[in-house]
């Protein structure tokens, strides 16, 4: 039993070591190739999405780098400074704007704080069963994730020319305007016999409804950047999503008379919020702002193929989201969310490029002025 197994002729112990090392290298190479294939698959999907949507391919993006500041320690003063932007005295000069990929972190702190408040309402209800806690529970629960996602877009607006007041104004005024206009369009869709589409008709109704609410800011001249449009669209989408979730929560709570069912709905809609209304309206508004630039808005702009392509994408994503199609583990929603965020990241990249170009133009102008002044001084001497 302890006899050594017969080995091939000429076999040596160092050959065994070499063979083991060789197999290890092959194994590691196989794992590496699997990772590369996985990355290539994601890259190919992202490339295909960008091509169909008519947006740029994403380049130089690192998820790890983008969120590298999230878990780092930041002071309360830093948080306050983050929100003290957008006025005539707090908007930075274009020369001072960092046009690299942003590294947002306040959104995570906002999410954690809001979750603590929400859990406080739940714990208070479990302890006291006081009906007066229900409105606060619904409102806070419906706003936790949408508002935190909006803060992410506030941070990605690296031009820092939009105040928090303007953003909150759009959340509430834009949210109710978009709801009213969407309800009107739902009535119109009923007269057009579109009921056969089912719940998917919401994509045809709610996306134009949210876009309509942007009349509140679309002609304010200082908000001429693509990243401004992305933020404004996200703000309207946040208001719409939160108000809609609160409405559904109230309806389910009243009809089922079961708080657990209502809480489950709030949690589900909260988890899916970053993949739906906020990003759909954000992408449409970003492209519209890109087309508009420094000009006054005209309805001819919504006929631009670049806008129609992305807006149509948002409508289709919404329609599929509401369709009866289902995949395990919320696969449908995650897949649609992935597609949406590919477009969002591409638009952020495009917005950074716009700022970079403006910064280069400003630098060139400044250099020309310095040269002219030097020449003038030389001639005077």
């Amino acid at each position: 039993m302890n006899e050594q197994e017969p080995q091939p002729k000429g076999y040596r112990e160092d050959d065994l070591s070499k063979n083991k090392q060789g197999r290890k290298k092959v194994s590691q190479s196989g794992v590496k190739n699997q990772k590369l294939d996985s990355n290539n698959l994601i890259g190919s999907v992202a490339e295909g999405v960008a091509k169909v949507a008519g947006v740029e391919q994403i380049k130089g993006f690192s998820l790890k780098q983008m969120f590298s500041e999230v878990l780092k320690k930041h002071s309360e003063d830093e948080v306050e400074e983050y929100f003290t932007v957008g006025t005539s005295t707090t908007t930075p000069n274009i020369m001072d704007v960092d046009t690299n990929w942003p590294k947002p972190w306040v959104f995570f702190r906002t999410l954690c704080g809001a979750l603590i408040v929400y859990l406080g309402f739940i714990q208070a209800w479990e302890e006291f069963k006081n009906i007066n806690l229900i409105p606060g529970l619904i409102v806070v629960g419906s706003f936790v994730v949408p508002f935190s996602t909006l803060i992410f877009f506030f941070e990605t607006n690296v031009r820092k020319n939009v105040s928090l007041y303007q953003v909150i104004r759009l959340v509430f005024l834009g949210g109710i305007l978009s709801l009213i206009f969407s309800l009107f369009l739902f009535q119109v869709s009923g007269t057009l016999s579109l009921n056969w589409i089912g719940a998917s008709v919401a994509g045809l109704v709610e996306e134009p409804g949210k876009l309509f609410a942007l009349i509140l800011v679309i002609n304010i001249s200082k908000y001429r950047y693509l990243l401004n449009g992305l933020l404004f669209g996200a703000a309207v989408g946040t208001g719409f999503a939160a108000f809609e979730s609160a409405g559904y929560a109230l309806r389910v709570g009243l009809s089922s008379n079961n708080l657990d069912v209502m809480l489950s709905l709030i949690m589900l809609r909260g988890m899916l919020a970053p993949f739906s209304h906020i990003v759909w309206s954000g992408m449409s508004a970003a492209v519209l702002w890109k087309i508009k630039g420094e000009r006054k808005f005209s309805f001819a702009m919504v006929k631009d193929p670049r806008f129609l392509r992305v807006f149509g994408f948002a409508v289709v994503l919404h329609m599929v989201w509401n369709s009866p199609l289902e995949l395990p583990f919320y696969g449908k929603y995650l897949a649609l969310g992935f597609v949406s965020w590919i477009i969002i990241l591409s638009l952020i990249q495009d917005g950074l490029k716009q700022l970079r170009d403006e910064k280069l133009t400003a630098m060139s102008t400044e250099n020309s002025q310095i040269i002219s002044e030097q020449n003038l001084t030389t001639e005077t001497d």
Side-chain angles (χ1 to χ4, degrees):
M1 292 179 65
N2 293 328
E3 291 180 1
Q4 186 177 1
E5 293 183 6
Q7 304 295 348
K9 186 178 180 180
Y11 190 90
R12 300 192 306 272
E13 286 296 324
D14 58 339
D15 291 332
L16 176 62
S17 176
K18 290 178 182 177
N19 286 340
K20 285 182 177 180
Q21 290 175 1
R23 286 195 298 270
K24 185 177 180 181
K25 287 181 180 178
V26 171
S27 177
Q28 289 175 342
S29 176
V31 172
K32 185 177 180 181
N33 286 335
Q34 286 177 358
K35 289 181 180 178
L36 286 174
D37 289 341
S38 176
N39 290 335
N40 287 338
L41 176 61
I42 295 173
S44 297
V45 172
E47 185 178 338
V49 169
K51 187 175 181 181
V52 174
V55 296
E56 294 183 356
Q57 306 295 328
I58 301 172
K59 299 175 183 178
F61 172 75
S62 169
L63 198 65
K64 182 179 179 180
Q65 283 297 315
M66 189 173 203
F67 296 114
S68 60
E69 294 289 324
V70 167
L71 298 179
K72 290 183 179 179
K73 187 176 181 180
H74 296 279
S75 66
E76 291 298 320
D77 288 340
E78 287 181 90
V79 177
E80 291 179 2
E81 288 175 7
Y82 234 83
F83 292 118
T84 313
V85 297
T87 67
S88 58
T89 57
T90 58
T91 299
N93 187 289
I94 186 63
M95 301 292 285
D96 300 323
V97 173
D98 184 357
T99 57
N100 294 309
W101 278 97
K103 296 180 179 179
W105 56 271
V106 179
F107 79 95
F108 184 73
R109 181 171 290 198
T110 304
L111 176 63
C112 292
L115 280 174
I116 291 172
V117 175
Y118 178 61
L119 292 174
F121 271 107
I122 292 179
Q123 186 61 39
W125 168 259
E126 294 293 336
E127 182 69 26
F128 304 108
K129 302 296 182 183
N130 191 315
I131 197 71
N132 292 336
L133 294 167
I134 299 300
L137 195 154
I138 292 175
V139 171
V140 173
S142 299
F143 270 93
V144 167
V145 180
F147 191 74
S148 301
T149 307
L150 176 60
I151 295 300
F152 170 87
F153 285 103
F154 183 80
E155 293 183 83
T156 57
N157 179 42
V158 296
R159 187 64 183 89
K160 298 182 180 180
N161 64 328
V162 181
S163 66
L164 187 61
Y165 157 75
Q166 196 67 256
V167 173
I168 293 175
R169 174 173 171 263
L170 261 184
V171 169
F172 290 102
L173 286 180
I176 187 59
L177 266 181
S178 60
L179 280 172
I180 292 172
F181 194 66
S182 295
L183 290 171
F184 169 74
L185 290 179
F186 269 117
Q187 288 185 334
V188 173
S189 69
T191 62
L192 296 176
S193 302
L194 294 177
N195 294 335
W196 61 274
I197 301 178
S200 293
V201 75
L204 297 171
V205 167
E206 294 175 359
E207 293 312 310
K210 288 182 289 180
L211 206 62
F212 174 79
L214 293 171
I215 61 172
L216 292 169
V217 291
I218 199 165
N219 278 325
I220 300 179
S221 59
K222 74 172 184 174
Y223 303 138
R224 61 183 183 275
Y225 301 99
L226 185 157
L227 293 177
N228 295 162
L230 183 62
L231 173 58
F232 293 148
V236 171
T238 295
F240 189 99
F243 293 151
E244 187 180 56
S245 292
Y248 279 128
L250 179 63
R251 179 189 296 181
V252 168
L254 292 175
S255 61
S256 67
N257 199 28
N258 187 328
L259 187 69
D260 290 336
V261 176
M262 185 183 76
L263 293 178
S264 296
L265 177 68
I266 291 174
M267 183 175 296
L268 176 61
R269 289 185 65 87
M271 288 190 301
L272 298 177
F275 307 128
S276 56
H277 286 293
I278 302 169
V279 287
W280 297 334
S281 54
M283 67 175 72
S284 298
V287 177
L288 182 57
W289 251 252
K290 178 181 178 179
I291 295 167
K292 185 182 77 69
E294 298 183 15
R295 298 177 294 166
K296 288 286 186 181
F297 171 75
S298 70
F299 283 101
M301 294 174 183
V302 299
K303 299 177 184 177
D304 189 297
R306 292 171 294 174
F307 170 76
L308 291 175
R309 204 164 177 178
V310 173
F311 179 69
F313 221 93
V315 170
V316 171
L317 287 169
H318 195 159
M319 292 181 73
V320 176
W321 183 282
N322 281 24
S323 71
L325 173 68
E326 291 295 338
L327 293 174
F329 307 108
Y330 304 108
K332 176 180 75 172
Y333 306 112
L334 296 177
L336 293 173
F338 173 77
V339 170
S340 298
W341 275 97
I342 291 298
I343 299 174
I344 291 294
L345 290 173
S346 175
L347 290 169
I348 291 175
Q349 175 181 268
D350 203 4
L352 294 172
K353 181 178 180 295
Q354 181 189 30
L355 293 173
R356 205 172 296 123
D357 291 343
E358 182 176 322
K359 191 173 182 178
L360 288 172
T361 301
M363 289 174 64
S364 178
T365 302
E366 185 177 343
N367 290 336
S368 298
Q369 289 175 348
I370 292 173
I371 293 171
S372 297
E373 289 174 1
Q374 288 176 343
N375 291 337
L376 184 61
T377 302
T378 303
E379 289 175 3
T380 304
D381 293 340

